[in-house]
Amino acid sequence: MTCSVYYITFFFFFFFFFFLNYYCEAQNQKASALYVFGDSLVDVGNNNYLKLSIVKANHFPYGIDFPSKKPTGRFSNGKNAADFIAEELGLPTSPPYLSLVSESKANKDNVSIVGGASFASAGAGIFDGSDQRYKQSIPLRKQVDYYVEAHNEMLKQIGESALQEHLSSSIFTVVIGSNDLSGYFDSSNLRHKSTPQQYLDSMLFSLRAQLQRIYENGGRKFEIAGIGAVGCCPARRLKNNTECEAEINFWALKYNEGLKSMLQEWQSQNHGLAYTFFDTYAANDDLILNPSTHGFSEVRAACCGLGELRARAPCLPVTKFCSNRKDHVFWDQYHPTETASRILVDKIFNGPSQYTSPITLKELLHL
């Protein structure tokens, strides 16, 4: 082998392995942290710290399929969407923010959310008054207030440059809106004050304001979920002879259309902002219309509860629950089983494009 051929071969393999290593590192890239905002679909225990709240999943049989086999505050038989999103990102589940506050008080030190945090709260909505039926939750505005306070504390802890780098590679997940929509259709007072479209427009306006606050405090990569097929949950099927409630589903679709447009405009007006929108409604629809494809045999009734569709009463220690949770889409009156949540998050992370746009969470992670 001549000297020139030797060097050409050497450099070929050098650059080949260099780019192969770079590609593998990019594929294995992890988010710095996960920050979660939302309602009971992603609450991992914040409501356990709300003394006046009557909406808590801190009793059996919640958590029956969780690794600890104990209730954790998640409205699921096991893990929920927040857990699976963290897993896909290669991170541990973000702890409830109020648990961090409690620990900091006990240890007499400052709260740190550098490792991520969940601000989500069961019963929460975009509007402050969405939890009137539930007496106490943490509405989105207050969740963002908590984040801003914690952001300012992180600024003191690690400095502006390090914080900017940390947050720019973190994921901000927002799953909220179902309680607002349900609250509107369950309240004659709200329906008297505004039309459904006016109410949706107000929801989107308020949501954008809170998203902007997160952006102004370092958030750059967002995973934002639309509203699911609310009218197909067991509790609402009871209102319509076990069939999906068409009116609220129609407006859930309308809200998602408005949300997609709002996010596009929001991104165009904020430098460095990237997001993935998850069409929860379409993904829900797929589970309900094609259950056997995903291993389900029951799409109407809850697994845990009492009465017709096991939805006349909530999931309580005295209520019955199904023995095979993997064949049910719904765990209780309103929430998916662990199995359903896992399937939905796989679509959030990997697509296909009919569920996630303009990119998937996996693509957002690698930006």
Side-chain angles (χ1 to χ4, degrees), residues 19 23 53 64 113-114 154 245 302 329 357 366:
F19 284 112
Y23 174 79
S53 179
I64 190 172
I113 64 165
V114 175
M154 283 194 293
E245 192 178 343
V329 170
S357 61
H366 294 144

Side-chain angles (χ1 to χ4, degrees), residues 229 232 237 243-244 281-294 296 299 329:
C232 293
R237 281 181 182 269
E243 296 301 319
C244 295
Y281 191 103
N284 281 167
D285 229 20
D286 180 44
L287 298 186
I288 293 167
L289 297 177
N290 305 295
S292 60
T293 304
H294 305 287
F296 297 116
V299 302
V329 170

Side-chain angles (χ1 to χ4, degrees), residues 185-308:
F185 283 96
D186 291 339
S187 170
S188 58
N189 185 44
L190 287 175
R191 299 190 75 168
H192 178 72
K193 289 181 178 178
S194 62
T195 66
Q197 188 60 59
Q198 289 170 336
Y199 188 79
L200 298 191
D201 291 343
S202 184
M203 283 175 63
L204 292 168
F205 179 83
S206 298
L207 175 62
R208 176 169 176 163
Q210 299 309 321
L211 293 177
Q212 186 65 26
R213 291 179 66 203
I214 298 173
Y215 172 83
E216 290 170 356
N217 284 274
R220 291 297 180 269
K221 294 182 178 181
F222 290 79
E223 189 281 304
I224 300 171
I227 295 177
V230 181
C232 293
C233 67
R236 300 206 77 91
R237 281 181 182 269
L238 287 179
K239 300 173 181 290
N240 198 36
N241 297 319
T242 77
E243 296 301 319
C244 295
E245 192 178 343
E247 184 180 18
I248 194 170
N249 278 354
F250 173 83
W251 290 106
L253 284 168
K254 286 292 184 181
Y255 173 83
N256 290 342
E257 291 174 6
L259 178 56
K260 288 180 71 173
S261 298
M262 182 271 278
L263 291 175
Q264 292 170 1
E265 182 182 0
W266 180 54
Q267 182 184 41
S268 70
Q269 296 175 356
N270 290 282
H271 176 73
L273 171 63
Y275 73 91
T276 174
F277 164 77
F278 180 59
D279 191 340
T280 314
Y281 191 103
N284 281 167
D285 229 20
D286 180 44
L287 298 186
I288 293 167
L289 297 177
N290 305 295
S292 60
T293 304
H294 305 287
F296 297 116
S297 60
E298 179 55 73
V299 302
R300 297 186 178 189
C303 175
C304 182
L306 283 176
E308 188 179 8

Side-chain angles (χ1 to χ4, degrees), residues 50-322:
L50 300 178
K51 294 181 179 180
L52 300 180
S53 179
I54 62 173
V55 177
K56 295 180 181 178
N58 60 353
H59 56 77
F60 182 83
Y62 286 105
I64 190 172
D65 297 311
F66 198 74
S68 66
K69 306 298 181 184
K70 296 179 180 179
T72 61
R74 292 164 174 81
F75 285 77
S76 171
N77 57 301
K79 296 180 179 180
N80 68 16
D83 297 297
F84 294 125
I85 290 173
E87 286 182 14
E88 293 285 12
L89 297 175
L91 297 170
T93 296
S94 299
Y97 174 72
L98 294 185
S99 73
L100 299 177
V101 171
S102 179
E103 290 173 11
S104 70
K105 288 181 179 178
N107 299 326
K108 298 181 179 180
D109 57 15
N110 296 320
V111 178
S112 175
I113 64 165
V114 175
S118 170
F119 303 90
S121 170
I126 296 170
F127 298 134
D128 286 6
S130 298
D131 71 332
Q132 287 179 351
R133 294 172 298 169
Y134 307 135
K135 305 305 180 185
Q136 189 186 15
S137 68
I138 312 169
L140 183 60
R141 177 192 55 79
K142 186 62 177 178
Q143 291 181 32
V144 178
D145 285 348
Y146 282 148
Y147 169 71
V148 172
E149 291 172 9
H151 170 274
N152 294 337
E153 186 59 41
M154 283 194 293
L155 193 58
K156 298 175 186 176
Q157 293 168 353
I158 65 176
E160 183 175 359
S161 179
L163 180 58
Q164 183 177 1
E165 181 178 353
H166 169 75
L167 294 178
S168 66
S169 59
S170 295
I171 301 295
F172 292 78
T173 291
V174 183
V175 180
I176 203 158
S178 296
N179 289 321
D180 300 278
L181 191 63
S182 295
Y184 176 82
F185 283 96
D186 291 339
S187 170
S188 58
N189 185 44
L190 287 175
R191 299 190 75 168
H192 178 72
K193 289 181 178 178
S194 62
T195 66
Q197 188 60 59
Q198 289 170 336
Y199 188 79
L200 298 191
D201 291 343
S202 184
M203 283 175 63
L204 292 168
F205 179 83
S206 298
L207 175 62
R208 176 169 176 163
Q210 299 309 321
L211 293 177
Q212 186 65 26
R213 291 179 66 203
I214 298 173
Y215 172 83
E216 290 170 356
N217 284 274
R220 291 297 180 269
K221 294 182 178 181
F222 290 79
E223 189 281 304
I224 300 171
I227 295 177
V230 181
C232 293
C233 67
R236 300 206 77 91
R237 281 181 182 269
L238 287 179
K239 300 173 181 290
N240 198 36
N241 297 319
T242 77
E243 296 301 319
C244 295
E245 192 178 343
E247 184 180 18
I248 194 170
N249 278 354
F250 173 83
W251 290 106
L253 284 168
K254 286 292 184 181
Y255 173 83
N256 290 342
E257 291 174 6
L259 178 56
K260 288 180 71 173
S261 298
M262 182 271 278
L263 291 175
Q264 292 170 1
E265 182 182 0
W266 180 54
Q267 182 184 41
S268 70
Q269 296 175 356
N270 290 282
H271 176 73
L273 171 63
Y275 73 91
T276 174
F277 164 77
F278 180 59
D279 191 340
T280 314
Y281 191 103
N284 281 167
D285 229 20
D286 180 44
L287 298 186
I288 293 167
L289 297 177
N290 305 295
S292 60
T293 304
H294 305 287
F296 297 116
S297 60
E298 179 55 73
V299 302
R300 297 186 178 189
C303 175
C304 182
L306 283 176
E308 188 179 8
L309 301 183
R310 286 203 179 102
R312 290 290 180 190
C315 183
L316 298 169
V318 296
T319 55
K320 296 180 179 180
F321 58 92
C322 59

Side-chain angles (χ1 to χ4, degrees), residues 84 287 294 296 338-348:
F84 294 125
L287 298 186
H294 305 287
F296 297 116
E338 178 185 77
T339 300
S341 291
R342 187 190 297 273
I343 292 170
L344 294 175
V345 170
D346 180 70
K347 296 179 187 295
I348 290 173

